[in-house]
Amino acid sequence: MADLGTAFISLPQSIREWLIDENTALFVDEINNKLGFNDFSDSRSEIVPHLILRLCVQNLEPRNFINELSHELNISFDSAKILTQEIEEKILKPIEAPLKIDVGVDLKLLYFANPTLRPSGFAEAELPTPIIETPPPQNLTSNIHTSNKKLK
């Protein structure tokens, strides 16, 4: 998709109006506060509205939404899934029908995601690869003689 601004303008009016509505802004602000992004100068406060816009203009596949949310916010897949449910309820449900009919975005596909690994370069706690040490081979002959000795 060319540019998100142009894509936004091409959305049906009902969707555009809802996305810029004061109630929608309040919902996004509420979500950002829960995430600890209390200051508008914090660039992370733009993550949720940006992903919602990308979803609405088909710049982000619905089934990739949870993973993108997880990666962008650096939260677990399960936390991103819970957050997605809140976003769907408060922001996307009111425009679900026009999104599906006029734009082709099916919100039911939001939950068909599987967790994906973060792209390289993301700082996430990674477990080291375990090193499994195997004991050196034993001399079988000495084991046989040792096991045949009688205990006193």
Side-chain angles (χ1 to χ4, degrees):
M1 181 133 302
D3 146 312
L4 291 178
T6 305
F8 175 77
I9 292 169
S10 69
L11 286 172
Q13 184 176 354
S14 62
I15 296 174
R16 283 194 324 265
E17 287 176 354
W18 176 249
L19 290 176
I20 61 171
D21 186 81
E22 183 179 339
N23 289 321
T24 305
L26 290 173
F27 292 143
V28 168
D29 191 41
E30 181 182 311
I31 290 167
N32 280 334
N33 285 334
K34 286 181 183 179
L35 293 169
F37 310 150
N38 301 323
D39 187 359
F40 288 114
S41 66
D42 187 339
S43 64
R44 297 175 302 172
S45 67
E46 299 172 11
I47 293 171
V48 171
H50 185 253
L51 291 176
I52 292 169
L53 175 61
R54 287 186 56 207
L55 175 72
C56 290
V57 300
Q58 294 183 308
N59 181 263
L60 176 61
E61 291 288 326
R63 59 180 54 110
N64 293 335
F65 187 82
I66 294 173
N67 280 312
E68 282 293 311
L69 200 58
S70 171
H71 295 167
E72 292 288 324
L73 294 173
N74 200 23
I75 59 176
S76 72
F77 180 83
D78 290 333
S79 296
K81 191 172 183 178
I82 292 167
L83 184 57
T84 296
Q85 290 169 334
E86 186 174 352
I87 291 168
E88 180 190 19
E89 276 179 33
K90 295 181 176 181
I91 298 170
L92 299 172
K93 272 289 187 203
I95 55 174
E96 181 176 18
L99 274 175
K100 186 172 183 179
I101 295 166
D102 300 331
V103 182
V105 175
D106 187 354
L107 297 181
K108 289 178 180 54
L109 298 177
L110 288 171
Y111 304 101
F112 282 82
N114 289 319
T116 61
L117 297 176
R118 293 178 186 273
S120 62
F122 276 86
E124 182 181 20
E126 293 182 10
L127 297 175
T129 305
I131 299 173
I132 302 171
E133 293 185 19
T134 55
Q138 298 177 3
N139 186 344
L140 295 177
T141 318
S142 66
N143 285 342
I144 293 172
H145 296 294
T146 308
S147 64
N148 287 335
K149 289 183 181 178
K150 291 185 179 178
L151 296 175
K152 294 184 179 181

